[in-house]
Amino acid sequence: QVQLVESGGGMVQAGGSLRLSCAASGTIFSIAAMGWFRQAPGKQRELVAAITNGGTTNYADSVKGRFTISKDNAKNTVYLQMNSLKPEDTAVYHCNADVYRSRWSRGEKYWGQGTQVTVSS
C-alpha cells in the first residue's frame, strides 16, 4: 500500500503564509506526479497545484503568483508554499499522487487525509 501524510496546515491571518508538506511512503517504484487539491464547505474539490516527476508545474489561476509547489524526489515529498493568503483560500487541502508500485504496474492515484487551512480576515 501507499500512504500520503500531510502536515503544515493551520490558522493564519490574511496576508500570512503557510507551508504544507506531503510525504508518500509504502510500496513505491516511481511517482509520476503529485499535487494539491482543496475543498471548501459546500464546494467541489478543485486542483490547486501539481508537479510532474520532471518538474513541470500547473497552478489554478486563483493561486498563481502566490503559491509555489515543489518536490523532493529522494524523499517522495511535495511541498506547497502559500503566501499572501486570502480568506477564500480557507479549505481542507488534500495531497494527491500518481504512483507506480512496480515496473510493470499501472499508475494508481492515492490521496492524503487532508489538512485544514483557515485564513481569517
Side-chain angles (χ1 to χ4, degrees):
Q1 262 294 9
V2 175
Q3 297 81 38
L4 301 181
V5 178
E6 300 120 332
S7 61
M11 183 177 293
V12 66
Q13 289 188 331
S17 298
L18 285 172
R19 187 187 192 220
L20 305 183
S21 299
C22 172
S25 64
T27 305
I28 299 172
F29 174 72
S30 68
I31 299 178
M34 298 186 77
W36 291 95
F37 289 71
R38 67 186 180 188
Q39 187 165 19
K43 295 187 177 181
Q44 290 188 332
R45 187 174 294 188
E46 62 175 357
L47 174 68
V48 176
I51 186 167
T52 69
N53 189 45
T56 300
T57 58
N58 182 37
Y59 295 93
D61 288 342
S62 59
V63 306
K64 283 180 181 177
R66 300 188 298 123
F67 291 10
T68 302
I69 190 169
S70 61
K71 62 184 176 64
D72 184 331
N73 287 337
K75 296 181 179 180
N76 288 332
T77 299
V78 65
Y79 307 96
L80 185 68
Q81 178 66 44
M82 305 185 293
N83 298 330
S84 302
L85 282 161
K86 305 176 180 179
E88 50 263 44
D89 294 318
T90 295
V92 177
Y93 284 69
H94 295 269
C95 175
N96 167 272
D98 294 334
V99 177
Y100 290 85
R101 297 177 63 191
S102 73
R103 183 184 302 275
W104 304 277
S105 66
R106 299 176 64 180
E108 300 174 78
K109 290 188 181 294
Y110 291 89
W111 292 90
Q113 79 285 355
T115 185
Q116 177 71 45
V117 171
T118 302
V119 185
S120 60
S121 56

